[in-house]
Amino acid sequence: QLSSTNVRSIPMFAPLFMLPLFLQNVQGRDTITTGLLLIPSAVTQMVCMPMVGSLTDRYGPRWITVIGALLCANCMYLFSHMDPAAGMWLAIYPQFWRGVGISILFSTVNTAGLNAVPARDAGTCSWMLSLLMYTGGSVAIALLGTWLQTSTLSQMDLLGTGALLREAPPAALLDRARGLGYGVFEAEAVVRGVLAGHVAAVATARAYSDRFVQMALWSLAAVVPAWFISSGRPGARQAA
C-alpha cells in the first residue's frame, strides 16, 4: 500500500505541473484558457469516485487498481503527442482517462490501506497515506522541473541552435523582413530572433514529450505494487 501511495503521486500531481506550463509556455495560451482546459479531469473524478468506491467494496482493490494505473499511463502517453500546434482536443480528452485513473488509484489505495490496519489505527493510517502521497508529489515535481530544463537544453543542442545562429539566415526570410520595412542589419536580427524562437519552441515541446513518456512508464510501475495489494473486503477489518 505504501509503494502504491508513492507511485500514484506521479499521475496525480505531474500533469497538474507539466500541462499548464506546456499550454502557456509552448502553445502560448492565456491563463483563463489553461484553467478551463484542466476542468475535464476534475469533473471526471467527481463523477467516478463514488462509483469506484462501490466497485472496490464489491470486488476488492487489486484489479481495479491495476486498471487505474494503466489508464493513467495511457493519459501520459497521449499527452506526449502534443506539439506547439496541437489543438485543444488533444489536451482535453486524455484528461478523461486521467480522471478515471486517479479516481481509482485514490479510492482503492486508501481503502486497501485502511483495511490493512486495526480500526483504532485508522486515523493514523489516513494521515500517513496523505503524507506519503503529497511527499511523493513534491519530489516528483522537483525532479520534473530539473529534468525539463536539462532536457530542453539538450534538445536545443541536438537541433543545432548554435550553428543556426552562426550561419547566414535564409535569403528568402531576409527578403521578406526587408519587405516589411526593416533595414539590412535589422532584418538579419529579426530573422535570427524568429529562427531562435522557433527552435526553442520545438526543443521545449520535445522535452515535454520525453517527460510525459517517462511519466507514463512511472505510472505503469504502479501495476507492480497494485498486484500485491490485499484483495480483502472492507468488512474484513476487525477492531483490535
Side-chain angles (χ1 to χ4, degrees):
Q1 282 86 354
L2 297 181
S3 299
S4 299
T5 297
N6 284 323
V7 177
R8 71 174 173 170
S9 302
I10 296 167
M12 185 172 293
F13 294 107
L16 293 179
F17 170 71
M18 293 178 60
L19 188 58
L21 290 177
F22 182 90
L23 293 174
Q24 295 183 63
N25 297 341
V26 178
Q27 294 190 334
R29 302 188 188 277
D30 58 73
T31 54
I32 295 178
T33 302
T34 299
L36 292 175
L37 289 175
L38 297 177
I39 290 178
S41 178
V43 173
T44 306
Q45 291 178 52
M46 180 180 65
V47 172
C48 291
M49 276 194 176
M51 294 185 288
V52 171
S54 299
L55 291 173
T56 304
D57 291 345
R58 184 172 181 179
Y59 300 107
R62 178 178 296 164
W63 281 105
I64 299 176
T65 306
V66 170
I67 293 172
L70 295 176
L71 290 176
C72 288
N74 180 57
C75 166
M76 299 293 185
Y77 178 73
L78 293 174
F79 279 147
S80 71
H81 289 82
M82 292 194 301
D83 57 47
M88 289 186 180
W89 182 243
L90 193 55
I92 292 175
Y93 83 89
Q95 294 190 65
F96 292 108
W97 297 118
R98 176 179 175 270
V100 177
I102 289 298
S103 299
I104 291 173
L105 292 179
F106 189 87
S107 299
T108 56
V109 173
N110 279 354
T111 300
L114 292 173
N115 291 340
V117 300
R120 67 171 183 270
D121 295 328
T124 301
C125 178
S126 179
W127 71 256
M128 285 188 65
L129 290 173
S130 297
L131 177 64
L132 288 171
M133 180 180 66
Y134 287 111
T135 300
S138 300
V139 172
I141 289 174
L143 292 174
L144 281 173
T146 303
W147 290 336
L148 277 173
Q149 179 67 21
T150 56
S151 182
T152 300
L153 296 176
S154 298
Q155 290 292 339
M156 292 181 70
D157 289 338
L158 291 174
L159 292 172
T161 305
L164 179 66
L165 296 178
R166 286 193 300 269
E167 297 175 356
L173 294 179
L174 289 174
D175 293 339
R176 185 169 183 179
R178 294 191 190 102
L180 294 174
Y182 292 103
V184 176
F185 297 106
E186 291 177 335
E188 183 174 347
V190 169
V191 170
R192 289 185 184 278
V194 171
L195 292 175
H198 177 71
V199 171
V202 172
T204 304
R206 289 186 178 183
Y208 275 91
S209 178
D210 291 345
R211 298 287 73 78
F212 277 123
V213 171
Q214 184 180 23
M215 294 303 101
L217 295 175
W218 282 11
S219 298
L220 281 177
V223 172
V224 177
W227 184 256
F228 294 98
I229 288 180
S230 172
S231 60
R233 306 297 192 270
R237 182 169 58 127
Q238 297 178 355

